[in-house]
Structures are given as structure tokens and as C-alpha cells.
Amino acid sequence: METFKYTRADSAAQAVQLAGQSQTAQQGAQVRFVAGGTTLLDLMKLNVERPATVVDINRLPLDKIEKLPDGGLKIGALIRNSDLAHDPTIQSHYAVLSQALLSGASPQLRNMGTTSGNLLQRTRCPYFRSTAFACNKREPGSGCSAIDGENRTLAILGTSQHCIATNPSDMNVALTALEATIHIQGTKGERDVSIQDFFLLPGSTPQKENVLEPGDLITYVTLPASRPGAKSVYLKLRDRASYEFALSSAAVVVEVADGHIRHARVALGGVGTKPWRSVEAEKALEGKTVDPRVFREVSEAALRDAKPQSQNGFKVELAKRCLTHALTLATKSA
Amino acid sequence: MATRVLAPNTIGGGLPRIDGPLKVSGGATYASDHHLPGMLYAVPVCATIAKGKITSLDTSAAEKMPGIQSIFHRANIGRLYRTSPAQGIYGYLDERRPPFEDDTIRYYGQYVAVVVADTFEQAQAAAYAVKVTYSGEKPNVATHLKTDDEPKVESSRGKPEDAFKTAAVKVDETYWTPPETHNPIELHSIVAVWDGQAFTLYESTQGVVNQRIVMAQMLGVAPENVRVISRFLGSGFGGKLFVWPHSVMAAAAARSLNSPVKLVISRSMMFQNVGHRPRTQQRVRLGTTADGKLVSLQQDYLNHTSILDEYEETCGEATAYLYSTPNLKITSGVVHLNVGTPTAMRGPGAVPGLFAIESAMDELAVKLKMDPIELRLKNEPEKDESNGLPFSSRHLTECFKVGAEKFGWSQRTPEVGSMKKNGLILGWGTASCAWIGGRFAASATVDLKSDGTARVSCGTQDIGTGTYTILAQVLSEKTGIALDKIEVVLGDSSLPEGPISGGSLVTSSVIPAVSQAAQGAIQMIFMTATDGDQAAFAGRKPTDLAFTNQRVHLKDKAPETGFAWHEILQKANVNAASGSGRADEYFGGPEAKEKERYSVHSYGAQFAEVTWQPEIARLRVSRVVTVIDSGRIMNPKPARNQIEGAVVMGVGMALLEETKYEPRSGAPINNNLADYMVATNADTPSIDVTFLDYPDKVVNEFGARGVGEIGLAGIAAAITSAVYHATGVRVRSLPARIEDLIGHSEAGKLRA
């Protein structure tokens, strides 16, 4: 860890102004916001993140969950993951989000981690986390050590020849299936970005993980009104029973009427370079009967473009089983 | 099975640990809890290649950083020595090269410098700023072990090759266990103090006496000028048995700077600088008659070791005496790789060895269409066939019978995937386990004090297993003194020489020494009681006296007629009556004295149940029954704690743990507790532990053999046999992973 300046922002405007001095809001940012610190401090200790200034945003009034007039929900950026997971409305109307949050990390980490921090959670790729290795995400142009290296846990969807790092978040997968919107306050004012557009594919610029620009502060996340009759499920598969990132996960929101699927939203975790919305799966589900064989076909469609690496070929099959089973669970009582 | 109901404060009762309150209240002082005036902090700089040479080491930028006291490396650390060849268990270490001895890098993370600064943060920042260049070569971190060396014969009888050729039923398979990292939660740490002449070293060590001897040799000072203190340990699992280079660096830095130096290694260094269980590769050949009687058993194993050191993982440790077979051969070999030096990890040798042997036995049972327990009972030996000696105490058959009853084994249907419960497929597996028995040499002193309290001391240490409590129990048993009047002093090399906390042997080793010391102290009270005209029993001889219920009295009179022992001391104005005891090492076998030649081992039977959900490729261990024949159990609370902990570790061994060396760099790439997976609470099955509790009086007067390691032996084989029963997939290379179970085995391996 290197010496850094610590300041505390008293207002969102001040936070934006301080961070606006950074040359980038992506890897290598000179100014970083800190909320729960569960990712940032970890990476600073590893010398992977070396901000000159850390702006503490914990005192900003972004810690509320509010119901919106249109039936949706507004979730403050600083809501702790534990609080969000145990919120009664989240549990009753957005079960997939509560389940995803509770499947992640440990109670201690969930007590610290926040909505916006979780959105910006960094990859667990071992080469990104050690400065001894080449990594295009950490040091653009240095190369990708993972492609020919230890890549068992890495991505099979959305990869490029420059990066195969997985987005490790569980929450992001649920938010993707729920079609969340990210609200950002920046130096040029406020803007809304759909979660689908918020995360970027690595392409040739894996150091750019999302649309945030210098000064941008995530203020809250909104969810559209939950569909009456829809059921949602988060299923996470991993080697051990807790405290492990997903090898494969699926967030599904499904509405069944008369034995047919009327509406479906599908996102996959642990397999993509970003939280992976599968429009292919959603289309394949539309109007279909509730049948495990159909779900298996849908899963085949979702993984059609999968590109496994030397060690993670099993993830293709695992993701298919994961999605098939998540859909089975979500349509069980219907 | 012997059953006894005992008050918790006697031998065999369930006395809670006497050091428990200190630990749960934060009052126990661990090595890194020592804060001394003027103390400096050391942070090592680790090589980022695994093979090659240092071409330059530039400390100029780092030296200018705030708070830096010194940066030590090959050119300025001063002279550090190798140890002379070890005698027995003292003077031993696994990584013999002193830090910075040459400019050659032989494993990833090898120390190349150490930064000492006023604060830890300053030292850490400067460590990153030390610029090292290397001429690197591709390291050898092969996962498939090969050697051209002639195999070493570990044990041999009959003609195993010929018998195998003609055997009716055969198994010939190769098994792998991966490198495993100990990962106790307490990191290796030292606070080194130099007073101008002598060192005091607060260390996290499983062997204060050995640490003192080795450190003295490596630092080039007289042994009496090193004192090693290790009052409490946040566990070690074998990783802290011997000296590692960071201790030598910290002590050398303290001497050079004339200031106390603290060095706590990082979690990533735990994976490269302080030993590990090496990879093993074991070919096992079993041959039987058509009805399952073993006619040949061959085990040919290799393990990796570092470039400079010859660490042998003795996988054949339990093989030669476990089953009856007229023909047997065990061979070994080591393969030198660019990895750190391996070391003992809980149940070294027997644990990986029994994974292979017991897996092969299960495969044999499948081929024979025979119940795996029946196969083992059928091959139960009458005596130790490796040396012809009688067993001192062996009840493996009873372990299986009791375990089978508790587990419900008779309900097992042998067909793969044939058992179901609540929509899950069940798999049931079993395995034998065994571990060494015996004693290390040990000395102890007992002081019976005039204030009515007692003190027992020994230069061994409590690594979290309950040694403090056991010593108090032994002294209380021998004297009748209440436990709350007994002080136990351990973890200091200035105390009478005690054993390393290894081999699960501390309990058995200290019993005779403490017992003898207590007798000596009582004898001293008798002498005090008869010494001079004013003595309590003036005019009598010590041999006239007896000690009953803490009272000293004439042999021919009732205890009430005498005096409490401390009254005798008070009357004579003597502060304490002291006795010392010493017992030699004892491992039975042909080397023991004629009347003490026995095969001394502990045994057990492991039963595991797994659940399998193929639709989501989820495998979990749901239930374990373990029956242990480990002699008399001195205290079932910490003993059960040991076995339960070992079972949890076994779940990790079977399904999760593997240190992965990156093939290009040689770096242990999963060098943290998120990526190196151990079993979590959620992975912990229901565990049912039974102790048969048969005393083995050959070892000591109570018949206690020790229980730290045996619980980990056999468990991985029981689990993978259950995995086979549930899934039909035979996992011969640990850990058993999701990809193995869904038919993508090769894709998931990091092969070098």
C-alpha cells in the first residue's frame, strides 16, 4: 500500500468535484471513493490500486430504500448489502436480489459492502490481483496471463483476446435480471444508465469496466415495479457451500400463465466478463410450456456463444445445468 | 467398548481447557502480541521468479523512504550458518539453506531482502520499492512426477511381483494427492530481541527446544544465548515444527540494529516460504485370491521436494502393518522441483498414503463384489507382518463393527447411485486409518509449594490441542491436588527439555516425565518431613512415610494422623519441594529393548456419507462417523475436538484443497484464503466420534497414545469411495472437483 490522502465528502456535489480531478474513473484512478472498502482496501494492500486520494462517501445521505410512485424501488448507493438483502420489500417482491446478496461473501463482508461498491466489485482473476504478472486490465498492453494460465474460474462469455476476467458479483446478476437502472451524478449533471449498458465488454480496453467518467458518483439504483405473478430465483453453484465466488450462477424472473411462460428475464453469473443478460434464453422461453426439456434447450441457447479456456470447459455444462435448474425452481409452484 | 462415567476433573473426564478463559478473553499472548519499546518491523522482499539468478538488487529508492532503518540482503546480512546434521529430533529443520546464502533463486517467493522500518506500513511500502532484476529460466513445477533415480525400498516381504502376476483379482492404479498448504489462522511470526549477548525470541513454533538449538547454530551463538518463548499458538498443523528462514532474518536484523524486530509473514508467504504437504503420486497394486485374501500389496510412491532439500512424504508409513499379506513391497522416491521445501503437515505420510491404499482397497472390493468392510476384516493381521512383532493394542476390527452399527452400514446397497434420500443420491464409503504411537524423550519438573499450590513445567508447548490441560490433569491425578491449584508452565526453551508438538505424541511423552517428577517432589517432601529435630516427622525415615489424599502420614497410620503436605513445607520454612522426571523416547519396533518390542500404533475406521445432485453437479459431505482406537483418552473434550477438526480438514482434502503452482512462473497462484479453499462451517458434516478407549500400557502408565493426526487419515478415501458409490466416478487425483464429476476432468487441471 502506498501513502494516500484521505478526505471525507460532506455532500454528493463535493464528492463529484473531488473525484472530477482524477484523470480516469477506471483502473488506476488517482481519486477513489471508498464506501465499505471491501474491494478497494484489499486491492490497495496488493498495490493493484494506488489512488493518491481516497474520498470517503459513507456520510452522504444515500442510505435509504424508497418506494417509487410507479411501483418501483429506489435503492441508495450506500445501503449495506446485508440491509438490502433483509429489506422486507426486497424479500417479498425481488427475492432474486435478496438471494443473490445472501449467497455472496460472508456476513462480515455483507455488513460492510454497499450497493454501489458491489456494482463496482473487481474481478478475482489471480493475475489482475498480483502485480508480478502481466494483465491488460491492470496495465493496459502488458498482456493477458490468464489465457494460457490458471483460468478455471474465469469467463466463457464476453471474453476477448485481451481479457477473460469474470465479473464476480452475485448482486449484479440479480440486478441485471431485474433490469435495474443506475443513477449517476457527475460533473455534467445527473444521468441514468440501464445496468445492461453500465458494464462494458473487455474488448481491447479491459481496463474500462463500465461507463463511469471522472467525478461520476453512483447515487442510487432503481428497480422497475415487480410483475405480479412473476417468480424469481437466484441459483449459485460453486465448489464449497459458502464463501466462494460463483463458478456459475443464474438469476431468473419468470411469469407463467396457463402452463406457458409469458415473461422471462435471464442473467448468468460467474461465466461472463460482465453480468450476463441472456436475451437468447429469454426469447427461447417466450410462450413455451413449463418443461425441463425446454429449459435445457433454452440453456443450450444461452451458452451457444461460450468460448471456454484451457481449464474452464466444465463451466459450459455447469452453466447449462444451473440455468435449467433455476428455471425449474422458478416455475415449480406455477 | 469400554464405558466409564467419570467426574470431569479426572483422567478421562471432560475437563474444559484450563487455558480457555485466557483465550476467549484475549488474555493469551501470542508471538506477535509482544510489543517492546523501540521495536522495529520487518517485511521480506520475495523473488518473483522460481528459477534463475538475481542480477541486480537496487535498494536506493526504498532506503530513502520514510522510517526505513535498514534493508538487509546477501551483501549486508552478516554471516548466517547451516546447521550441523541433526541428531534425533533436535537440531532439525527442513529448509537448511540460510536466507540469502547465494544469488540463486530456486522457488517462487524465495526471500531476496528484508526491509526493517519504524512501522509495518513503512516497511511494506519500501519492500515494494526494492528493485530486483533476475535472469530467469522456466521453472520445473511438474504435476506428473518422474525420476530416473533408483527407488528406495521402504519395506519388503515375500515375492510381491510374482504373487501379483498370478493373483485372481487385481487392482493396479495410480493416485495423486496435491500440494496442500497448512494455513493456520495465526501467521508465522517472531519478535526477536537481542541484548548484546543473547537472543530472546518470541516465536510461533511447535518446538521451542529445537527452535533454540537450530537458531543458535544458524546465528552462530552459543545455545545458552538463545531463549525461545511460545506460550500460545494459533495452530500450526506441522507447519511450525521447524525453523523457517524468516526467523533467522528477523533475529539477524535485531542483532544488527540492536533493536527488537517483529516479523509476521503475509498470507501469501504462507504458501511459499514455510513448507507445505508435497504432491504425492502413488502406484498401488493389490492382488487377492478369488475370495478376497490379499496375496500381494505393492505401493510405489514419489513426492516432490525442493531443489536443495530431501523431504520425504512417507506414504508407506501405515502400509506395511495394516493388512495381512505374505508378499509386500513399498518403494519411495523424491522429485526435485522449483518449489519451497515441503514439511510435515498433519499426519504426514500416512494421510496421503492411506488415501491411495484405502482407495485401492475400495476399488478391490468393487471388483470382488465384496463389502468393503468385509474385505478389510478378512485381511486383518494377527501380528505386525513387517517385523513379526505383536501389536501392543490394536482394535481395528472393533472400530469397523462399532462404526458400521453407528453409521447404519447394513442398510447400504452397493450399486452405484442406488441409494436416495429427499431427492438426493447418497453415497457411502469407508476406510481404515492408522497412525504412529510411542513417545518422544521428555523432561519435566514439578514444584509443590508451601502455599499449597503446585507448578508443573516442561519445555514443550500447547499448539491449541490441550497440552496445558493434560499436564494439569496428570499432576492432579498423581498428587490429588485440585486443578485450580496447579500452574502449568510451557512454551519456553529454558524449561526442562520437552518434545516438539508433532506426531500426536506430546500427551504420551509427557505423562511418564510428569509422573516421575511428581514422585520426586513427594519424595522431597518426605525428606523435608524427616529432616532435623524440628521436622514434622523428626526421627523417622522418608521410607516410613506415605502420601494419601494430599496428606503425609506414617505408612502404618491413617492419613488423618499426618499433615497436609504444604504444612510440612511451611513448618520447615521451605518454599517448594521440587522433583524432576525424564523418560526416553520409545517407538516399540525391533529397535526397542527386548521386553518392549511391540508394534505400537493407533487405528480407526472412517465412514462418510455424501449427497449428490447431478442436476446441479452439487456434491456435499453430509455425515461422518469416526471410531478411534487411540489408547486411553486422557480428556475426551480436546480429543473429540481434534478428531472433529481433522474430519473437517479431511473434507477439504477430499474436495477442495490444492496449492496450484502456475506452470510458467512457478508461483502458488491461489495464495490466499479465498482462492485456496478449505472447508467452511457450511461444508461441515454431522460428525459422530467414538473412542474405544482401550489403554495401551506399553506407552505409559495411563495407556494414552494421542489423537491429533489420526482423524485425518483415511477420511479422504472414505469420502471419495462414497463419491464413487453416489456418482460412479472414481477420483484418484485429489481434490474431487465438479469437473471430475461431470466428465470434464482434464479440462480443469493445471498441468505442467
Side-chain angles (χ1 to χ4, degrees):
Chain A
M1 188 184 284
E2 293 185 357
T3 305
F4 60 92
K5 189 178 159 210
Y6 169 88
T7 58
R8 185 184 287 148
D10 296 322
S11 67
Q14 191 199 359
V16 169
Q17 188 264 323
L18 285 167
Q21 294 161 17
S22 192
Q23 281 159 32
T24 175
Q26 303 293 328
Q27 174 62 29
Q30 295 79 13
V31 184
R32 281 286 187 202
F33 296 131
V34 67
T38 58
T39 289
L40 182 68
L41 298 187
D42 187 24
L43 293 178
M44 284 170 72
K45 288 180 191 170
L46 294 169
N47 258 15
V48 170
E49 280 285 344
R50 295 190 278 185
T53 304
V54 171
V55 180
D56 185 342
I57 58 168
N58 281 297
R59 297 202 178 180
L60 302 184
L62 302 171
D63 57 349
K64 288 176 195 65
I65 301 173
E66 299 161 72
K67 285 185 182 152
L68 295 170
D70 67 357
L73 210 61
K74 180 177 165 182
I75 301 164
L78 294 175
I79 295 283
R80 304 288 157 177
N81 288 170
S82 303
D83 294 334
L84 185 57
H86 292 111
D87 179 82
T89 309
I90 296 290
Q91 288 182 320
S92 59
H93 289 74
Y94 306 94
V96 66
L97 179 56
S98 180
Q99 291 166 12
L101 285 161
L102 293 176
S103 75
S106 65
Q108 296 89 335
L109 288 164
R110 295 196 293 267
N111 287 343
M112 291 302 289
T114 60
T115 313
S116 55
N118 199 328
L119 275 167
L120 301 179
Q121 194 177 149
R122 310 300 297 279
T123 184
R124 289 293 304 189
C125 175
Y127 301 100
F128 171 71
R129 290 172 54 84
S130 171
T131 55
F133 296 97
C135 169
N136 288 322
K137 189 184 276 297
R138 197 184 63 248
E139 275 182 66
S142 64
C144 174
S145 304
I147 287 172
D148 295 318
E150 171 65 23
N151 54 40
R152 177 178 185 260
T153 62
L154 299 181
I156 53 174
L157 290 165
T159 58
S160 74
Q161 58 176 324
H162 304 282
C163 185
I164 58 170
T166 321
N167 184 303
S169 170
D170 294 298
M171 184 193 81
N172 293 347
V173 185
L175 288 180
T176 300
L178 291 169
E179 299 179 277
T181 302
I182 318 295
H183 298 261
I184 300 162
Q185 187 172 334
T187 53
K188 294 175 199 151
E190 297 184 19
R191 66 189 198 280
D192 300 342
V193 183
S194 78
I195 191 162
Q196 182 71 343
D197 298 330
F198 180 78
F199 294 104
L200 305 176
L201 288 172
S204 58
T205 54
Q207 74 278 14
K208 271 185 76 69
E209 295 179 349
N210 53 53
V211 299
L212 294 179
E213 295 293 335
D216 280 353
L217 174 74
I218 297 171
T219 48
Y220 52 92
V221 172
T222 54
L223 302 178
S226 65
R227 295 173 69 99
K231 206 176 161 193
S232 70
V233 163
Y234 188 73
L235 177 65
K236 178 174 180 176
L237 303 183
R238 48 185 161 181
D239 297 292
R240 65 181 171 189
S242 80
Y243 195 62
E244 187 188 351
F245 296 92
L247 288 170
S248 179
S249 72
V252 298
V253 181
V254 189
E255 190 185 330
V256 178
D258 305 328
H260 288 76
I261 290 161
R262 175 174 290 179
H263 169 89
R265 289 292 176 268
V266 172
L268 303 177
V271 288
T273 51
K274 61 183 238 176
W276 200 258
R277 171 97 176 256
S278 180
V279 179
E280 299 87 341
E282 292 169 5
K283 278 192 188 143
L285 280 165
E286 206 72 54
K288 294 281 166 55
T289 54
V290 171
D291 180 347
R293 283 168 301 183
V294 170
F295 297 157
R296 178 72 196 193
E297 285 164 23
V298 165
S299 302
E300 302 279 352
L303 274 298
R304 191 156 294 140
D305 294 332
K307 199 175 159 227
Q309 304 294 326
S310 56
Q311 296 178 11
N312 63 7
F314 74 102
K315 277 192 167 189
V316 180
E317 173 59 23
L318 192 65
K320 288 176 188 173
R321 292 193 194 188
C322 187
L323 179 53
T324 303
H325 198 66
L327 290 167
T328 306
L329 292 173
T331 55
K332 215 170 193 175
S333 59
Chain B
M1 188 175 32
T3 50
R4 288 174 289 121
V5 181
L6 292 161
N9 61 347
T10 55
I11 305 292
L15 177 73
R17 289 155 195 252
I18 60 172
D19 52 337
L22 267 184
K23 286 187 170 174
V24 296
S25 65
T29 312
Y30 293 79
S32 68
D33 292 334
H34 290 89
H35 298 281
L36 300 164
M39 191 171 78
L40 305 174
Y41 294 80
V43 170
V45 179
C46 296
T48 53
I49 63 164
K51 184 182 183 187
K53 281 202 179 301
I54 301 170
T55 47
S56 73
L57 195 141
D58 177 5
T59 58
S60 54
E63 273 166 15
K64 294 192 189 88
M65 290 172 71
I68 302 308
Q69 293 286 338
S70 191
I71 300 173
F72 294 100
H73 43 85
R74 176 157 151 70
N76 65 358
I77 189 74
R79 189 87 187 247
L80 299 170
Y81 300 88
R82 288 190 173 227
T83 55
S84 53
Q87 294 182 319
I89 57 164
Y90 292 133
Y92 184 83
L93 78 169
D94 281 319
E95 182 169 348
R96 297 190 64 197
R97 175 188 178 274
F100 317 143
E101 195 183 45
D102 56 27
D103 285 331
T104 304
I105 303 299
R106 299 176 180 88
Y107 63 88
Y108 192 94
Q110 185 180 317
Y111 301 129
V112 296
V114 60
V115 179
V116 184
D118 294 339
T119 70
F120 169 72
E121 290 77 10
Q122 290 167 336
Q124 177 72 70
Y128 272 117
V130 173
K131 300 286 168 233
V132 190
T133 59
Y134 306 93
S135 64
E137 295 170 51
K138 191 178 185 310
N140 181 3
V141 290
T143 54
H144 194 94
L145 302 181
K146 271 186 295 201
T147 175
D148 295 329
D149 294 347
E150 195 63 24
K152 183 171 129 197
V153 177
E154 301 280 344
S155 185
S156 168
R157 58 185 188 251
K159 292 185 172 169
E161 289 89 353
D162 296 349
F164 182 73
K165 263 182 220 153
T166 57
V169 182
K170 298 176 196 186
V171 167
D172 180 359
E173 296 291 351
T174 300
Y175 302 86
W176 284 268
T177 63
E180 292 177 323
T181 298
H182 305 69
N183 275 320
I185 289 303
E186 184 203 25
L187 302 161
H188 287 242
S189 23
I190 176 170
V191 173
V193 186
W194 170 251
D195 69 3
Q197 187 188 353
F199 286 101
T200 302
L201 308 173
Y202 300 95
E203 287 251 39
S204 177
T205 174
Q206 293 177 243
V208 288
V209 174
N210 180 62
Q211 194 88 2
R212 174 177 67 88
I213 293 166
V214 171
M215 289 294 278
Q217 289 191 28
M218 295 186 81
L219 293 162
V221 298
E224 64 269 26
N225 286 339
V226 178
R227 181 180 175 197
V228 176
I229 294 172
S230 187
R231 302 285 187 202
F232 296 99
L233 233 78
S235 203
F237 304 121
K240 295 173 181 169
L241 280 168
F242 305 114
V243 169
W244 296 101
H246 67 272
S247 290
V248 186
M249 291 187 331
R255 179 167 58 186
S256 177
L257 296 168
N258 212 15
S259 298
V261 169
K262 177 188 283 195
L263 195 163
V264 180
I265 74 165
S266 67
R267 183 59 63 182
S268 62
M269 292 173 202
M270 296 290 278
F271 286 83
Q272 61 203 18
N273 301 94
V274 287
H276 59 275
R277 194 199 296 281
R279 182 181 301 281
T280 72
Q281 177 178 305
Q282 307 174 54
R283 183 182 181 194
V284 178
R285 280 170 285 179
L286 304 177
T288 66
T289 60
D291 62 350
K293 180 77 197 71
L294 278 169
V295 293
S296 177
L297 196 171
Q298 295 171 86
Q299 180 184 22
D300 303 294
Y301 63 88
L302 297 172
N303 66 265
H304 83 213
T305 185
S306 58
I307 297 298
L308 292 179
D309 298 299
E310 298 279 334
Y311 177 84
E312 191 195 324
E313 183 79 17
T314 53
C315 296
E317 199 282 315
T319 310
Y321 62 81
L322 193 55
Y323 297 117
S324 173
T325 177
N327 306 293
L328 174 143
K329 192 173 184 185
I330 303 167
T331 70
S332 70
V334 295
V335 179
H336 293 271
L337 300 184
N338 292 104
V339 298
T341 301
T343 195
M345 180 168 165
R346 201 173 198 174
V351 164
L354 284 171
F355 166 68
I357 295 294
E358 290 303 285
S359 294
M361 286 295 278
D362 196 70
E363 298 208 45
L364 188 59
V366 171
K367 279 197 173 175
L368 286 159
K369 295 190 171 51
M370 184 183 273
D371 182 272
I373 295 179
E374 192 193 332
L375 174 65
R376 286 165 173 104
L377 300 189
K378 190 165 199 129
N379 290 288
E380 174 71 12
E382 300 274 312
K383 59 180 182 189
D384 184 333
E385 294 179 9
S386 72
N387 52 25
L389 295 175
F391 295 113
S392 61
S393 176
R394 169 171 165 138
H395 306 87
L396 180 59
T397 299
E398 187 173 335
C399 289
F400 274 111
K401 286 183 175 160
V402 170
E405 181 69 29
K406 290 206 149 201
F407 191 79
W409 186 262
S410 63
Q411 304 298 309
R412 183 179 187 265
T413 54
E415 295 74 28
V416 166
S418 63
M419 296 178 72
K420 293 195 177 66
K421 188 180 173 187
N422 302 332
L424 306 173
I425 297 172
L426 297 184
W428 285 6
T430 187
S432 304
C433 61
W435 184 242
I436 58 171
R439 294 191 318 261
F440 287 129
S443 303
T445 58
V446 165
D447 302 305
L448 302 178
K449 297 187 189 174
S450 58
D451 63 0
T453 67
R455 176 185 190 268
V456 54
S457 67
C458 178
T460 186
Q461 48 288 309
D462 188 333
I463 62 170
T465 50
T467 304
Y468 278 110
T469 310
I470 299 292
L471 264 82
Q473 284 182 269
V474 174
L475 183 57
S476 180
E477 180 80 10
K478 299 304 290 184
T479 59
I481 298 170
L483 287 154
D484 61 1
K485 301 266 188 205
I486 295 174
E487 180 195 15
V488 184
V489 183
L490 305 174
D492 185 339
S493 65
S494 65
L495 298 171
E497 286 193 357
I500 55 168
S501 295
S504 309
L505 294 168
V506 168
T507 293
S508 59
S509 306
V510 296
I511 286 170
V514 172
S515 182
Q516 203 183 96
Q519 293 298 340
I522 290 169
Q523 195 57 37
M524 198 55 75
I525 286 178
F526 291 166
M527 289 167 72
T528 307
T530 54
D531 181 25
D533 296 345
Q534 302 303 311
F537 293 95
R540 297 289 190 152
K541 295 194 293 291
T543 48
D544 296 335
L545 299 179
F547 188 99
T548 312
N549 297 332
Q550 296 198 70
R551 293 190 73 80
V552 180
H553 59 97
L554 290 169
K555 276 179 180 167
D556 52 4
K557 291 200 172 158
E560 298 78 56
T561 61
F563 300 89
W565 56 269
H566 59 279
E567 289 170 359
I568 308 251
L569 296 172
Q570 283 167 6
K571 195 167 161 52
N573 193 28
V574 169
N575 178 46
S578 301
S580 60
R582 182 189 151 81
D584 292 333
E585 75 164 38
Y586 170 70
F587 289 98
E591 295 81 25
K593 286 181 206 148
E594 197 178 341
K595 285 183 179 165
E596 298 176 0
R597 286 180 197 152
Y598 290 96
S599 173
V600 187
H601 297 93
S602 287
Y603 298 90
Q606 306 274 19
F607 293 80
E609 175 185 273
V610 300
T611 61
W612 169 235
Q613 286 172 276
E615 63 276 18
I616 51 171
R618 180 176 287 167
L619 184 104
R620 299 285 184 251
V621 181
S622 48
R623 203 157 61 90
V624 168
V625 169
T626 298
V627 184
I628 298 293
D629 168 32
S630 193
R632 180 130 184 235
I633 299 303
M634 295 294 284
N635 186 338
K637 260 194 183 167
R640 189 173 302 276
N641 179 201
Q642 283 301 307
I643 301 298
E644 288 175 349
V647 167
V648 177
M649 209 170 190
V651 171
M653 179 184 176
L655 304 180
L656 300 168
E657 290 192 48
E658 175 176 16
T659 306
K660 295 181 175 183
Y661 295 98
E662 221 270 347
R664 295 159 304 179
S665 64
I669 194 75
N670 54 341
N671 60 358
N672 58 73
L673 287 178
D675 296 329
Y676 180 92
M677 279 183 289
V678 298
T680 64
N681 282 334
D683 296 290
T684 300
S686 106
I687 304 170
D688 180 341
V689 179
T690 303
F691 294 108
L692 293 189
D693 214 18
Y694 288 114
D696 185 351
K697 293 290 179 94
V698 159
V699 198
N700 53 50
E701 64 184 283
F702 297 113
R705 278 195 303 248
V707 288
E709 289 158 280
I710 188 163
L712 185 56
I715 185 76
I719 292 170
T720 53
S721 296
V723 168
Y724 173 79
H725 186 223
T727 67
V729 177
R730 178 67 66 177
V731 177
R732 300 188 184 93
S733 177
L734 293 181
R737 302 149 315 148
I738 289 172
E739 47 268 49
D740 300 321
L741 305 181
I742 62 173
H744 287 72
S745 240
E746 280 314 301
K749 286 272 177 200
L750 187 65
R751 292 277 181 220

